[in-house]
Amino acid sequence: MIHTGERYINPLTDFGFKRIFGTPFNKDLLMSFLNALFNGDPVVSDITYKNSEKFGTNEEARRAVFDVYCTTDTGARIIVEMQNVYQDFYKDRSIYYSTFPIAEQAQRGNWNYELHDVYTIGILNFTFPEDKHSDSSIFREVKLMDTDSHEIFYDKLTYIYVELANFHKTLDECNSLLEKWIYCLRNLQNLMSRPMALQGRVFEKLFKTAEIAKMTTEDRRAYELSANAYRDIKNGMDAAKREGMEKGIAIGTEKGAQAKALEVARKMKARGLEDGLISEMTGLPMVEIRKL
């Protein structure tokens, strides 16, 4: 059963993310989030959901299954992916995914190769390794750039990454619609009612959509399986972090003891004691003492 006291679904679960953003009935929620993310460039006034399962050009080619895949009224293609666990080649994967909406635009016959915009959006429940010591890195927008002029070379291919783990604002500190959306993605499952700061038709619908008590029995079971899978992932990640910290402490302690032994050995050698005696008293190998 769902944990006692949990009123709303966790948007970071596979079920929760697709229930909120992945159905035509809730396309206004996805449009609100996208417009907040794009900040007016472009403006998404309508979307159409497309088949989220894509196949390569032949039977042996690897397929891709997107969490959400849609087109806008202007023809732009948008992939939205929720990723809870860091992968070594996640950037490669997001680039690979973007090739499908590019390739599907090919036209038979006399075609001038004009493409519609393609956006690949990653909602990440982790930080990239290069950002793990920076709390300020939340949003990344990546385009093809001229490395000499540092100007955008091609503006129809965009990758946007939202690093949720670096978002620490309280609701009172959220000033923009996008920050309120990010707050909901991070905290919805911990709330027991809709806060006054989250007013408006979009957030009213978000909370109604996310309310567990209003789901069918079948949907509750599906969410329970998804929530359990999410908890297993999170528990595994937390255990790995603890193990890493414990190993780090042990390594740090060992390095500290060795540094102290070397300091004592230097003082003993300065007093003229023999290397063999210093090695016996400090436990350091002779090779290390001879280097002093």
Side-chain angles (χ1 to χ4, degrees):
M1 295 296 293
I2 304 301
H3 284 188
T4 303
E6 186 177 343
R7 182 176 179 182
Y8 302 106
I9 58 177
N10 184 347
L12 305 184
T13 62
D14 183 66
F15 178 94
F17 191 80
K18 291 178 180 176
R19 182 177 178 86
I20 291 171
F21 291 130
T23 65
F25 179 74
N26 289 332
K27 73 176 184 178
D28 51 339
L29 298 182
L30 178 60
M31 289 167 56
S32 173
F33 175 75
L34 291 175
N35 280 319
L37 187 63
F38 292 150
N39 194 27
D41 185 21
V43 174
V44 180
S45 56
D46 194 16
I47 59 172
T48 301
Y49 286 88
K50 296 175 68 69
N51 186 353
S52 61
E53 186 172 12
K54 297 296 176 184
F55 295 88
T57 55
N58 55 64
E59 292 183 359
E60 290 76 26
R62 186 176 178 87
R63 69 171 184 163
V65 182
F66 312 137
D67 287 336
V68 176
Y69 181 41
C70 62
T71 59
T72 70
D73 53 327
T74 63
R77 271 70 169 171
I78 302 176
I79 297 169
V80 186
E81 280 283 298
M82 175 68 225
Q83 182 71 20
N84 274 305
V85 181
Y86 175 75
Q87 296 177 342
D88 286 339
F89 299 104
Y90 176 76
K91 293 178 184 177
D92 302 62
R93 173 180 157 183
S94 65
I95 301 300
Y96 173 71
Y97 274 14
S98 69
T99 64
F100 287 87
I102 293 174
E104 75 174 16
Q105 296 185 55
Q107 300 177 19
R108 293 183 180 273
N110 187 17
W111 175 47
N112 64 1
Y113 293 96
E114 181 181 8
L115 296 171
H116 291 288
D117 297 88
V118 172
Y119 296 88
T120 302
I121 300 169
I123 313 299
L124 314 179
N125 198 18
F126 58 85
T127 59
F128 288 118
E130 62 267 31
D131 295 333
K132 64 182 179 180
H133 299 302
S134 173
D135 286 342
S136 61
S137 178
I138 299 172
F139 307 103
R140 281 189 174 211
E141 182 174 327
V142 180
K143 293 180 182 286
L144 292 179
M145 182 190 72
D146 186 310
T147 57
D148 288 330
S149 66
H150 292 178
E151 294 180 353
I152 295 175
F153 174 76
Y154 185 74
D155 64 355
K156 290 185 178 181
L157 184 59
T158 304
Y159 303 89
I160 299 176
Y161 305 102
V162 182
E163 298 178 68
L164 298 179
N166 277 341
F167 184 85
H168 305 293
K169 288 189 175 183
T170 65
L171 184 54
D172 291 338
E173 295 171 331
C174 295
N175 298 315
S176 67
L177 177 60
L178 179 57
E179 288 181 342
K180 290 180 180 179
W181 263 113
I182 301 302
Y183 177 87
C184 288
L185 292 177
R186 292 258 311 171
N187 299 285
L188 183 61
Q189 72 276 13
N190 298 320
L191 301 176
M192 289 308 297
S193 62
R194 179 163 61 100
M196 290 296 295
L198 296 175
Q199 296 301 309
R201 181 184 57 82
V202 166
F203 287 117
E204 181 180 354
K205 184 173 182 178
L206 169 64
F207 277 77
K208 286 182 179 179
T209 300
E211 192 165 0
I212 295 173
K214 294 184 178 180
M215 294 194 303
T216 65
T217 300
E218 183 179 355
D219 282 347
R220 285 194 192 188
R221 289 173 179 168
Y223 173 60
E224 182 177 352
L225 291 174
S226 185
N228 287 339
Y230 172 82
R231 293 184 187 107
D232 288 344
I233 291 173
K234 189 175 185 303
N235 290 338
M237 292 171 62
D238 290 344
K241 287 180 181 178
R242 286 194 300 270
E243 182 179 352
M245 290 177 63
E246 290 171 357
K247 287 183 177 178
I249 292 172
I251 292 172
T253 301
E254 182 179 346
K255 287 183 177 179
Q258 185 176 11
K260 183 65 176 177
L262 285 170
E263 181 184 352
V264 172
R266 287 191 189 95
K267 292 179 179 179
M268 295 174 71
K269 195 160 188 176
R271 291 177 177 269
L273 296 180
E274 295 181 358
D275 290 350
L277 180 59
I278 296 174
S279 175
E280 182 181 346
M281 296 182 67
T282 62
L284 294 172
M286 291 289 291
V287 64
E288 290 293 333
I289 295 171
R290 292 193 183 105
K291 292 178 182 178
L292 297 176

